[in-house]
Amino acid sequence: MDFSKISLKGKVALVTGASRGIGHASALAFADAGADVVLASRKQADLDAVAAEIKAKGRKGLAIAAHTAKIEDSKMLVEKTMAEFGRIDILFNNSGTNPYFGPLMDAEEWAWDTTMNVNLKGQFFLSQLVARIMKQQGGGSIINTSSVGGLKASELGIYNVTKAAFLMLTECMAKEWGQYGIRVNAICPGVIKTRLSEQLWKQPEVGKIAADNCALMRLGEPEEVAGVVLFLASDLASYVTGEHIVIDGGQMVGAPSFLTKAA
Ligand SMILES: NC(=O)c1ccc[n+]([C@@H]2O[C@H](COP(=O)([O-])OP(=O)(O)OC[C@H]3O[C@@H](n4cnc5c(N)ncnc54)[C@H](OP(=O)(O)O)[C@@H]3O)[C@@H](O)[C@H]2O)c1
């Protein structure tokens, strides 16, 4: 996709979960639009590969291994970003996990704690650190990766609870930080073909069921999410805050009505 018509020239974007999937695609989109990009997730080697892609686009890419749930790591991430670039204009809070897939009836405390810490607690404290900087700068854009699971119940119980809470956190941060010129928005992807969701799409018959439940009758690609993330990060969305955008190929509206297309 050609994102070059949206300009993020002179801006610095910090992306978590940047090593693959939605974060990777969005980091490349930010670089295409002219931003320098700080890349975070747990594995340095994976991030180094993405940083090389950013550099090949003529932008700076800084790869920093950091665990989202460790507040000390978030502090280090922000300190290193400030030491290198001296500002943060965009925070894409995108890392996430779903370590337990099973009935709520059987879920154990470790699953609750891990999912809450990686999908919600870490994002809150990183946002707080970055918002203090954005307040000094006079503004910025924070984008949070929630999910359609934050809007609609499914079998991903604890995960969905974290994503629903992330939407409310988005609204509360937007309400408090708008006065500082900080916009806070969320995205709610449906099934996007990444490693996180591969159980849902790698087996063709399972993927077909998921696709047939969407109005567009197909699953999404990470680049199709990146376009919306880029919009929210950019000045095109300068009057948008406290909102969420669903990117699900019509999963929320459901399977096509009056289907005439051959299977
Ligand atoms: N794919 C979907 O269908 C879908 C739908 C709705 C929402 N989402 C959300 O989209 C976001 C991105 O997921 P994705 O689909 O792009 O999956 P992915 O390709 O598996 O990417 C997940 C990213 O998060 C990082 N990560 C995982 N645990 C981490 C931790 N504890 N600390 C720091 N980084 C961590 C991973 O890197 P390391 O493992 O190296 O740390 C990786 O960069 C997640 O928040 C997910 O919940 C995905």
Side-chain angles (χ1 to χ4, degrees), residues 10-16 30 35-38 62 64 74-93 126-143 181-182 233:
K11 307 234 164 162
V12 175
L14 170 48
V15 179
T16 71
F30 287 153
D36 293 324
V37 190
V38 181
L62 178 63
I64 303 173
S74 292
K75 285 185 182 154
M76 174 273 295
L77 180 59
V78 169
E79 278 165 18
K80 284 193 173 170
T81 301
M82 291 303 283
E84 176 73 20
F85 295 111
R87 59 186 298 112
I88 305 173
D89 302 285
I90 297 152
L91 170 62
F92 183 29
N93 264 321
L126 179 59
S127 300
Q128 187 189 60
L129 289 167
V130 172
R132 289 171 183 157
I133 290 163
M134 289 178 169
K135 181 182 170 188
Q136 298 293 322
Q137 285 172 191
S141 173
I142 298 177
I143 302 120
I182 304 170

Side-chain angles (χ1 to χ4, degrees), residues 99-141:
Y100 172 73
F101 187 78
L104 285 173
M105 198 70 87
D106 302 327
E108 294 176 14
E109 189 178 2
W110 69 264
W112 179 270
D113 288 344
T114 304
T115 319
M116 284 288 169
N117 290 343
V118 175
N119 290 5
L120 189 64
K121 184 180 105 174
Q123 279 75 357
F124 171 65
F125 284 104
L126 179 59
S127 300
Q128 187 189 60
L129 289 167
V130 172
R132 289 171 183 157
I133 290 163
M134 289 178 169
K135 181 182 170 188
Q136 298 293 322
Q137 285 172 191
S141 173

